[in-house]
């Protein structure tokens, strides 16, 4: 159980790497759902950053938010540009836009 794992780590009998340590520290936060109202705030923040830094990019919040769910487990974001197609892969700028 998580309680036992916490105890074993605290006692020094189990060693975790950095990612595992963060996961154990924030496991309860990861279980929380993000209310739709908060997702709308994230969408505004991301859209503002996109409009300021890279107005040619297209940003779409996807997943449960796009499906209209009342809460979300995470934030799925699709970022692309109309110029990026299979015929024009260089429009991706090698990922340098991000």
């Amino acid at each position: 159980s998580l309680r036992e794992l916490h105890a074993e780590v605290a006692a020094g009998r189990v060693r975790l790497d950095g990612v595992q340590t963060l996961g154990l520290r924030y496991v309860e936060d990861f279980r929380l759902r993000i209310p739709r109202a908060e997702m709308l705030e994230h969408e505004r923040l991301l859209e503002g950053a996109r409009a300021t830094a890279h107005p040619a990019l297209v940003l779409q919040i996807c997943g449960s938010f796009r499906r209209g769910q009342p809460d979300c487990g995470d934030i799925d974001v699709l970022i692309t540009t109309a110029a990026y197609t299979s015929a024009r892969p260089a429009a991706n700028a090698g990922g340098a836009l991000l």
Side-chain angles (χ1 to χ4, degrees):
S1 73
L2 286 174
R3 185 181 316 224
E4 292 168 330
L5 181 56
H6 274 287
E8 292 296 308
V9 169
R13 291 186 290 270
V14 172
R15 298 182 70 110
L16 303 177
D17 66 26
V19 173
Q20 293 168 325
T21 300
L22 288 174
L24 186 59
R25 181 179 304 152
Y26 296 109
V27 66
E28 294 306 319
D29 289 337
F30 293 146
R31 290 181 178 173
L32 297 175
R33 305 286 294 175
I34 306 167
R36 187 162 190 84
E38 185 176 334
M39 289 294 293
L40 289 167
E41 291 177 35
H42 290 297
E43 181 182 44
R44 281 190 292 276
L45 176 73
L46 291 168
E47 180 56 32
R50 182 215 55 85
T52 300
H54 300 289
L57 294 181
V58 176
L59 183 140
Q60 175 71 54
I61 308 293
C62 303
S64 51
F65 178 78
R66 186 173 179 202
R67 293 190 302 273
Q69 298 300 310
D71 56 43
C72 305
D74 61 3
I75 303 174
D76 302 305
V77 182
L78 173 68
I79 302 172
T80 189
T81 177
Y84 179 55
T85 66
S86 59
R88 294 186 311 223
N92 174 334
L97 291 175
L98 301 177

